Amino acid sequence: MKNFLIFKTDRLGDLINISPIISNIKSHYPSSEITLICSKYNSSLAKYYEKDLNLIIYKKPLLFFLIKNFQKLITKKYDTLLQLDGKNHSYLISTFVRSKNKLCVKYIKNKKIFGNFFKIKRPNFFLNLFFNYNVVSYEDYNHLDNKKFHYLNLYLKLLEKINIKIFSKNHNLPFKNPSNITKFNKNYILLHLDTRWNEFPNEVISSLIKKINYISRDNNLVISSNVGSNDIFENIKHEFSNYDNIEMIEGPNLNNTLNLIYFSSTCISSHSGLIVHSAAAFNKKIIDIVSPKIFNELDRWIPFNINYKRFDINNFINFDFDLKS
């Protein structure tokens, strides 16, 4: 039996983004054991994968974490370690783990210091010595070949380095017993307004109101917020409080957010990671409305084999959304 250790101690969408890594390992080695080191934040989502994964939740301080998990991380021997979150603590923990193969993404970024550009590498030279395989990602989002550094594709290339056949690049999310929590039957449009919308120019809200009016002419629309809500959501809630075909859902928990996505036909957000990656897993149409600052960066994050469109926040009002599923 093959033993794998995977590091993914970041956010919810990032975890779903590595679901093809898990499924391809299981397809290649059906009896393999996979241990995932996740964050406290994304552990609530990691539990949906518990059929395929053993979970270790990373908590600071680092020394306490190593002592608490001494048997799982120091004494146990793994066949393959995959460092997939790019976090310095994960690179450091990897040096203590016994594994035949240690694989990671090496991130290279040009940083200006005192007027001069220097290449900053993660992991650094010393930590990189503990990894026997890596793939390189240049963290310049204006790179002429930006899509070459698509993150999931880089992770899959790591599997290929240890001769694991890639059966599928599709996202997946085990989600049992879904329940429709809206007043609509199904096939509504889901618009998720999180705190990123607060960062956009003031005129965006007027454009957003016009767009909501346009979308709701021929579609049922569910508008959700992040936990704790935000100013734009509250303004939109006030504006559309009496519309029969618009339902406002404030701060749904994780399970309810997944239910909202599952029963929708199209998901619109400002690239909320959980929305985009779980929508990909549920095979929904996805529309991103984002700042031009991250427009190119998202080339590296978009799931494979999906129906996806992206619009600049400054001119999305001028585009007609094709909302047919």
Side-chain angles (χ1 to χ4, degrees):
M1 182 178 68
K2 297 288 186 179
N3 288 316
F4 290 80
L5 180 66
I6 300 176
F7 288 82
K8 205 68 181 133
T9 63
D10 37 24
R11 294 166 293 186
L12 299 173
D14 300 318
L15 179 58
I16 304 173
N17 193 42
I18 68 160
S19 59
I21 302 300
I22 299 166
S23 59
N24 279 291
I25 290 174
K26 282 295 184 180
S27 294
H28 196 92
Y29 296 114
S31 61
S32 62
E33 180 180 281
I34 304 175
T35 299
L36 175 73
I37 299 181
C38 57
S39 64
K40 183 179 179 181
Y41 179 63
N42 68 19
S43 63
S44 57
L45 183 64
K47 292 176 182 177
Y48 287 89
Y49 295 92
E50 279 188 317
K51 181 181 176 182
D52 293 323
L53 301 173
N54 300 317
L55 301 181
I56 300 175
I57 300 176
Y58 172 72
K59 294 181 182 179
K60 296 180 180 180
L62 177 60
L63 180 59
F64 177 78
F65 173 76
L66 288 172
I67 294 172
K68 181 180 179 181
N69 296 282
F70 185 84
Q71 288 187 323
K72 296 176 182 178
L73 297 178
I74 310 299
T75 62
K76 185 174 180 177
K77 187 172 182 180
Y78 292 90
D79 294 289
T80 298
L81 178 154
L82 289 159
Q83 208 286 44
L84 301 183
D85 62 21
K87 303 291 187 182
N88 287 323
H89 60 252
S90 296
Y91 289 120
L92 185 56
I93 294 169
S94 298
T95 65
F96 295 98
V97 177
R98 294 193 302 158
S99 181
K100 178 182 176 181
N101 296 309
K102 293 186 180 182
L103 301 87
C104 73
V105 178
K106 181 192 289 186
Y107 300 93
I108 300 177
K109 187 174 184 178
N110 287 324
K111 191 170 183 179
K112 193 173 185 179
I113 303 175
F114 299 119
N116 297 309
F117 283 96
F118 295 87
K119 283 188 176 180
I120 306 298
K121 299 180 180 180
R122 192 173 77 253
N124 61 33
F125 174 78
F126 173 74
L127 293 178
N128 191 57
L129 295 175
F130 291 87
F131 293 87
N132 50 339
Y133 296 102
N134 65 51
V135 292
V136 174
S137 177
Y138 288 96
E139 296 299 277
D140 175 8
Y141 303 129
N142 294 314
H143 195 284
L144 292 177
D145 199 4
N146 189 40
K147 293 182 180 180
K148 178 181 178 181
F149 305 108
H150 187 280
Y151 293 121
L152 175 54
N153 210 37
L154 295 177
Y155 304 153
L156 292 168
K157 285 182 179 179
L158 289 176
L159 292 189
E160 291 175 338
K161 284 182 177 289
I162 53 173
N163 300 314
I164 291 181
K165 183 179 178 180
I166 306 305
F167 292 89
S168 173
K169 294 184 176 183
N170 295 343
H171 281 30
N172 64 87
L173 176 59
F175 188 54
K176 297 180 180 179
N177 304 317
S179 175
N180 188 1
I181 64 170
T182 74
K183 65 182 181 181
F184 306 121
N185 224 0
K186 58 181 180 177
N187 293 332
Y188 50 80
I189 309 300
L190 175 63
L191 170 62
H192 183 71
L193 301 177
D194 60 15
T195 55
R196 294 184 187 187
W197 289 82
N198 289 337
E199 301 171 4
F200 296 145
N202 292 331
E203 58 267 23
V204 166
I205 190 166
S206 59
S207 295
L208 182 61
I209 289 171
K210 292 177 183 177
K211 208 52 146 178
I212 290 173
N213 272 310
Y214 168 77
I215 293 172
S216 62
R217 288 176 194 167
D218 302 309
N219 302 277
N220 291 325
L221 179 63
V222 174
I223 304 176
S224 62
S225 79
N226 56 289
V227 175
S229 193
N230 61 81
D231 292 341
I232 286 190
F233 177 85
E234 294 301 324
N235 287 334
I236 296 298
K237 182 179 178 180
H238 176 75
E239 183 76 22
F240 294 98
S241 58
N242 296 318
Y243 282 60
D244 291 336
N245 62 334
I246 296 178
E247 183 174 4
M248 309 292 297
I249 298 183
E250 183 174 336
N253 61 25
L254 174 59
N255 198 70
N256 282 342
T257 298
L258 294 178
N259 277 312
L260 290 175
I261 298 165
Y262 188 89
F263 287 97
S264 70
S265 60
T266 300
C267 295
I268 305 173
S269 73
S270 182
H271 196 81
S272 169
L274 174 62
I275 302 295
V276 170
H277 292 285
S278 53
F282 297 151
N283 197 29
K284 306 299 179 181
K285 180 165 185 174
I286 302 167
I287 295 175
D288 265 346
I289 303 170
V290 300
S291 164
K293 293 179 181 178
I294 66 168
F295 200 91
N296 290 340
E297 179 183 351
L298 295 186
D299 287 338
R300 304 184 179 208
W301 286 107
I302 302 310
F304 292 112
N305 303 322
I306 60 169
N307 187 346
Y308 174 84
K309 295 291 183 181
R310 181 159 77 240
F311 299 94
D312 186 329
I313 190 67
N314 294 320
N315 55 21
F316 81 95
I317 189 63
N318 299 318
F319 289 89
D320 287 332
F321 293 170
D322 178 12
L323 295 172
K324 296 178 182 178
S325 24

